[in-house]
């Protein structure tokens, strides 16, 4: 199984500049504006520089405030108001930008990029344009959010470029609009951004057990697996795990539900405000709090995370990478082969494995199509084969086996971040000799519980910012005897 190369890690970070909505908007708008001026305009460097200088505050406001889900409709009134008040609407410039936008999202991203990286058919553009129009999360592929932002910013730049460079009196109008837009954006988010889950202030406080109930923890994450689509799929092995283990039916992902954010929470027990990873675009490498891998080392144990290059940005050398540049139909099989190799060579006390094919199918083909359900069914077979191999090798003796997802996926290009329908709740199953059989937990929990539950199982201290409760409902009574309850300390 090929590892992610240094070039692939750098390329993944560069791609996030264009994939994440926040950095994409200024990069795209400035790029198409300057290119238009060079090819079709007068290319007055002074006027372009003046326009870009005046636009910096507006770019900053738009970078600061996402307008996800239904909030994106609130972008159109300011755009219409600016054009009606200060002008700046150039039909040629706007058509130029829209042409480049749909070329980038539908042809380059949805067709060429996915074909070269994971083998998607070259006619994917026939479906991908519909997915871009339906996507609701704040990525570059969210047309209903990006288009009004592009229209507004280009009108602003075009009108500013018509003014005399250095004429601050003439700049009062655009700058005044920016101030008003900032207040408007703040008010919209204050009044209508009301679906973000609560983030409790408490830290994990469950006393550790006198005798750790597990010798090893195996965690398999089906990246981007929608819970409702899993329930529709033919997954006999996962169904067996549910019948003979404990299922959490209301396990909630983390906000914002981006892969690196969710994994950072899963392996620190902390919210993004604590671990510092707030999108897949990681400006400063490494989580800024302790992780489960740190605490396992402190306890004389080892942990490994097997995943794609993105996860190195959060966990560095604790990650064994796999390349994400391969046919999607082969990806999960290669990952599981690498997982077997790691288990035999390193025999970690914690092995976490990221399966990527389901997520990549959701992004490239859409999560409401048959291909997505089929990838979930493939994941079920891969997990069953891996489980049987672990059992035959003796690695499952007194082991806790967990299957979950990091986030779901909404309609469109499989977007996920702001908890649209299909994103919020994820599958979560625990299995092992210390786990209650045939048990369902319907209480609301979230992914901050992953790390404290692993620490409890292995007898390792909790990380310093771990906030999630240990999933005590899953344990058999004999696994819940704490050291403090026996008089041996906590």
């Amino acid at each position: 199984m090929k590892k992610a190369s240094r070039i692939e890690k750098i390329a993944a970070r560069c791609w996030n500049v264009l994939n994440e909505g926040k950095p994409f908007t200024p990069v795209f708008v400035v790029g198409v504006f300057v290119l238009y001026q060079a090819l079709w305009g007068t290319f007055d460097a002074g006027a372009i520089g003046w326009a870009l200088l005046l636009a910096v505050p507006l770019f900053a406001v738009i970078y600061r405030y996402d307008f996800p889900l239904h909030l994106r409709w609130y972008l159109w009134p300011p755009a219409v108001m600016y054009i009606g008040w200060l002008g700046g609407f150039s039909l040629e410039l706007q058509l130029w930008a829209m042409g480049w936008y749909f070329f980038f999202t539908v042809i380059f991203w949805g067709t060429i990029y996915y074909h070269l990286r994971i083998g998607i058919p070259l006619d994917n553009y026939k479906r991908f344009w519909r997915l871009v129009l339906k996507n609701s999360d704040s990525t570059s592929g969210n047309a209903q959010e990006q288009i009004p932002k592009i229209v507004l910013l280009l009108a602003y730049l075009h009108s500013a470029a018509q003014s005399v460079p250095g004429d601050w009196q003439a700049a009062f109008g655009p700058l005044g609009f920016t101030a008003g837009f900032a207040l408007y954006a703040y008010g919209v988010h204050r009044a209508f951004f009301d679906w973000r889950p609560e983030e409790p202030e408490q830290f994990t406080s469950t006393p550790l057990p006198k005798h750790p109930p597990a010798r090893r923890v195996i965690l398999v994450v089906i990246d981007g697996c929608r819970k409702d689509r899993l329930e529709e799929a033919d997954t006999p092995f996962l169904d067996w795990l549910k019948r003979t283990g404990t299922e959490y039916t209301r396990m909630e992902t983390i906000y914002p539900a981006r892969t690196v954010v969710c994994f950072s929470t899963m392996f620190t027990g902390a919210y993004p405000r604590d671990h510092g990873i707030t999108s897949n675009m990681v400006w400063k490498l490494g989580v800024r709090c302790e992780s489960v891998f740190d605490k396992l080392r402190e306890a004389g144990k080892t942990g490994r995370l097997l995943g794609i290059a993105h996860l190195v940005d959060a966990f560095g050398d604790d990650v064994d990478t796999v390349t994400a540049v391969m046919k999607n139909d082969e990806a999960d099989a290669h990952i599981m082969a690498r997982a077997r190799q790691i288990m035999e060579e390193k025999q970690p006390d914690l092995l976490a494995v990221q399966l990527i094919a389901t997520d990549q199918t959701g992004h490239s083909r859409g999560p409401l199509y048959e291909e997505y359900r089929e990838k979930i069914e493939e994941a079920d077979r891969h997990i069953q084969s891996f489980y049987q191999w672990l059992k035959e090798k003796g690695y499952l003796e007194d082991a806790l086996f967990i299957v979950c997802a990091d986030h779901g996926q909404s309609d469109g290009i499989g977007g996920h971040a702001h908890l649209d329908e299909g994103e919020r709740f994820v599958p979560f199953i625990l299995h092992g000799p210390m786990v209650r059989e045939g048990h369902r937990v319907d209480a609301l929990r979230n992914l901050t519980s992953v790390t404290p539950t692993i620490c409890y199982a292995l007898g390792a201290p909790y990380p310093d910012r771990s906030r999630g409760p240990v999933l005590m409902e899953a344990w058999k009574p004999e696994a819940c005897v704490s050291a403090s309850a026996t008089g041996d300390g906590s």
Side-chain angles (χ1 to χ4, degrees):
M1 174 63 195
K2 184 180 177 183
K3 299 179 182 179
S5 66
R6 185 170 182 271
I7 293 176
E8 184 177 343
K9 294 174 186 177
I10 295 172
R13 292 165 185 157
C14 293
W15 175 246
N16 278 331
V17 174
L18 299 177
N19 179 260
E20 293 289 328
K22 284 179 178 289
F24 168 81
T25 305
V27 169
F28 177 81
V29 169
V30 171
V32 297
F33 178 72
V34 172
L35 188 59
Y36 176 84
Q37 295 297 329
L39 295 177
W40 312 110
T42 59
F43 197 76
D44 184 335
I48 293 173
W50 174 246
L52 293 174
L53 177 64
L54 290 183
V56 168
L58 182 57
F59 277 116
V61 174
I62 287 180
Y63 187 90
R64 167 65 180 81
Y65 291 103
D66 288 316
F67 282 78
L69 305 184
H70 60 275
L71 295 192
R72 56 193 173 182
W73 303 114
Y74 289 92
L75 285 164
W76 281 110
V80 172
M81 190 178 103
Y82 182 88
I83 293 168
W85 176 32
L86 295 170
F89 183 81
S90 165
L91 180 61
E92 294 84 0
L93 175 59
Q94 297 289 349
L95 289 176
W96 168 262
M98 292 305 108
W100 276 110
Y101 176 75
F102 282 102
F103 172 81
F104 169 74
T105 56
V106 177
I107 303 300
F108 177 76
W109 176 8
T111 304
I112 298 172
Y113 168 79
Y114 277 133
H115 175 74
L116 294 176
R117 210 195 94 192
I118 61 174
I120 291 301
L122 278 173
D123 64 353
N124 199 44
Y125 63 89
K126 295 178 181 178
R127 180 184 298 181
F128 206 79
W129 70 269
R130 296 193 296 270
L131 304 180
V132 168
L133 291 177
K134 291 192 291 182
N135 184 34
S136 60
D137 279 315
S138 294
T139 64
S140 56
N142 181 351
Q144 294 183 58
E145 179 179 340
Q146 290 297 331
I147 288 175
K149 287 181 176 180
I150 292 168
V151 168
L152 171 59
L153 288 165
L154 287 177
Y156 190 100
L157 287 170
H158 188 68
S159 66
Q162 308 304 310
S163 62
V164 178
D167 185 355
W168 288 102
Q169 186 173 359
F172 287 159
L175 293 176
F177 169 85
T178 299
F181 180 74
L183 292 173
Y184 172 82
Y186 173 80
V188 166
H189 284 70
R190 183 84 173 176
F192 304 115
F193 204 126
D194 55 4
W195 62 87
R196 180 171 180 161
E198 293 184 7
E199 297 181 357
E201 292 296 330
Q202 87 279 348
F203 292 99
T204 306
S205 59
T206 305
L208 291 172
K210 179 182 180 183
H211 301 291
R215 292 175 56 187
R216 177 176 284 113
V217 175
I218 307 293
L219 170 62
V220 179
V221 183
I222 310 174
D223 196 317
C225 181
R226 279 181 66 138
K227 189 173 185 296
D228 57 346
R229 296 291 277 152
L230 171 62
E231 291 168 355
E232 296 169 4
D234 180 20
T235 54
F237 181 68
L238 294 180
D239 293 342
W240 176 79
L241 289 180
K242 293 177 186 177
R243 289 195 305 272
T244 56
T246 294
E247 177 189 12
Y248 280 78
T249 62
R250 298 185 68 221
M251 180 62 70
E252 195 172 45
T253 188
I254 294 302
Y255 181 88
R258 304 292 281 161
T259 295
V260 184
V261 180
C262 294
F263 271 79
S264 297
T265 287
M266 289 167 66
F267 295 107
T268 63
Y271 290 102
R273 68 175 189 264
D274 293 319
H275 59 61
I277 307 296
T278 58
S279 76
N280 284 349
M281 184 71 213
V282 179
W283 297 102
K284 185 177 180 181
L285 301 183
V287 292
R288 65 187 186 198
C289 63
E290 293 178 338
S291 72
V292 67
F293 306 107
D294 298 321
K295 305 313 283 187
L296 287 173
R297 278 189 288 271
E298 187 177 311
K301 299 177 183 291
T302 59
R304 303 303 301 168
L305 169 57
L306 174 62
I308 59 174
H310 288 319
L311 301 182
V312 175
D313 293 352
F315 295 107
D317 293 338
D318 290 316
V319 180
D320 286 292
T321 61
V322 293
T323 181
V325 183
M326 71 175 76
K327 290 184 178 180
N328 201 37
D329 290 340
E330 302 172 0
D332 284 353
H334 282 290
I335 290 170
M336 282 307 195
R338 177 75 174 128
R340 291 178 175 88
Q341 182 183 16
I342 292 170
M343 183 57 71
E344 289 195 315
E345 292 178 356
K346 302 179 180 180
Q347 300 191 11
D349 299 287
L350 164 65
L351 176 62
V353 181
Q354 177 195 24
L355 298 181
I356 63 174
T358 298
D359 183 71
Q360 292 187 151
T361 297
H363 284 297
S364 59
R365 302 291 281 168
L368 299 185
Y369 290 85
E370 287 303 298
E371 297 98 321
Y372 181 82
R373 179 183 55 77
E374 291 168 359
K375 276 291 172 285
I376 296 174
E377 294 172 352
E378 286 182 19
D380 178 76
R381 295 193 290 272
H382 287 304
I383 296 170
Q384 180 180 17
S385 177
F386 184 50
Y387 182 94
Q388 291 172 342
W389 178 86
L390 290 168
K391 188 174 182 179
E392 291 170 3
K393 293 289 185 177
Y395 294 125
L396 285 184
E397 184 178 350
D398 294 328
L400 173 63
F401 192 80
I402 306 173
V403 177
C404 68
D406 53 341
H407 54 74
Q409 297 204 22
S410 61
D411 198 2
I413 60 171
H416 49 87
H418 292 285
L419 307 186
D420 196 1
E421 182 178 356
E423 297 180 41
R424 192 177 204 114
F425 293 101
V426 298
F428 200 94
I429 309 165
L430 297 95
H431 192 274
M434 72 296 296
V435 175
R436 297 175 65 180
E437 298 181 13
H439 187 52
R440 283 169 51 105
V441 179
D442 297 322
L444 182 65
R445 297 288 183 266
N446 70 39
L447 292 178
T448 57
S449 287
V450 173
T451 275
T453 300
I454 292 172
C455 288
Y456 185 92
L458 296 176
Y462 304 119
D464 58 351
R465 307 303 292 179
S466 175
R467 295 183 183 273
V470 177
L471 299 176
M472 298 300 294
E473 307 94 342
W475 303 113
K476 291 179 179 177
E478 57 268 28
C480 299
V481 179
S482 69
S484 59
T486 63
D488 295 331
S490 59

